[in-house]
Amino acid sequence: MSHEGWGPDSSHDDATATGRSRRGRTRKRMDDDHWWLLNGVVRFYGFVLLAGTKLADAVTTAIGVRFVPGIVELNPVADAVFVGGGTFAGLAVLSVATVAVATLTAEYLAVEIRRRLGLDRLALASKVTIYGALSFLFGAVAVNNALLISEQVHDYVSEAILVTSIAV
């Protein structure tokens, strides 16, 4: 497998493949094929996790803003997009843009860390950190949205039952 232009070629000698860390230990760079395999695995699962949590965020936002009275979008940029293009179209555009920018940033950063600094593990760790932190954030937002929706629905149903029992 060849990746021309994406870092040192795999024919480099041991003098460039090994280096000294701050503590004097010798570190050895990963084989190119091994790095690209790990890079692909992190890319696939990171993207799936990121897209899945962003989808959960978008779905809960759409349900809350569109169908549950009393829930409004607090983000002024997103609210302006919703007013201008509609809730569902706005959420789709913002979600796709967010996932695309995050993915491109994670991938570019990892390749540049590996190419410029020669730090294979740091490059992979940076991708895991970006994908993981954003996925955690979007997952937490989706859970928060779901809790807000359930609270509003609970209040609405409780009020409806109270009104019905008083009327009877």
Side-chain angles (χ1 to χ4, degrees):
M1 177 184 284
S2 175
H3 299 283
E4 297 295 323
W6 288 97
D9 77 51
S10 60
S11 65
H12 58 281
D13 61 6
D14 283 343
T16 60
T18 58
R20 294 268 180 206
S21 70
R22 292 180 191 208
R23 295 184 182 166
R25 293 182 298 207
T26 302
R27 65 174 167 83
K28 181 147 176 74
R29 292 200 56 190
M30 286 184 203
D31 178 77
D32 274 352
D33 291 337
H34 182 67
W35 189 85
W36 284 105
L37 174 69
L38 289 175
N39 185 46
V41 168
V42 171
R43 176 185 304 124
F44 176 77
Y45 288 108
F47 179 79
V48 167
L49 184 62
L50 181 67
T53 54
K54 186 60 185 163
L55 179 63
D57 172 21
V59 167
T60 56
T61 299
I63 291 170
V65 169
R66 183 78 176 178
F67 300 114
V68 180
I71 293 183
V72 294
E73 177 60 49
L74 295 178
N75 181 343
V77 173
D79 192 46
V81 171
F82 297 166
V83 169
T87 304
F88 298 122
L91 273 168
V93 167
L94 289 174
S95 296
V96 168
T98 300
V99 170
V101 167
T103 301
L104 291 172
T105 301
E107 297 302 322
Y108 178 76
L109 180 66
V111 169
E112 284 299 305
I113 288 173
R114 183 171 194 255
R115 184 178 70 83
R116 290 180 187 227
L117 303 176
L119 301 173
D120 300 338
R121 288 175 182 82
L122 180 62
L124 292 173
S126 70
K127 285 176 68 163
V128 169
T129 302
I130 291 170
Y131 284 126
L134 289 175
S135 296
F136 178 79
L137 174 68
F138 296 142
V141 168
V143 168
N144 184 56
N145 289 346
L147 291 173
L148 288 172
I149 292 168
S150 68
E151 181 182 310
Q152 291 294 324
V153 169
H154 176 268
D155 291 347
Y156 179 76
V157 170
S158 298
E159 194 174 296
I161 290 173
L162 181 63
V163 169
T164 305
S165 65
I166 291 175
V168 174

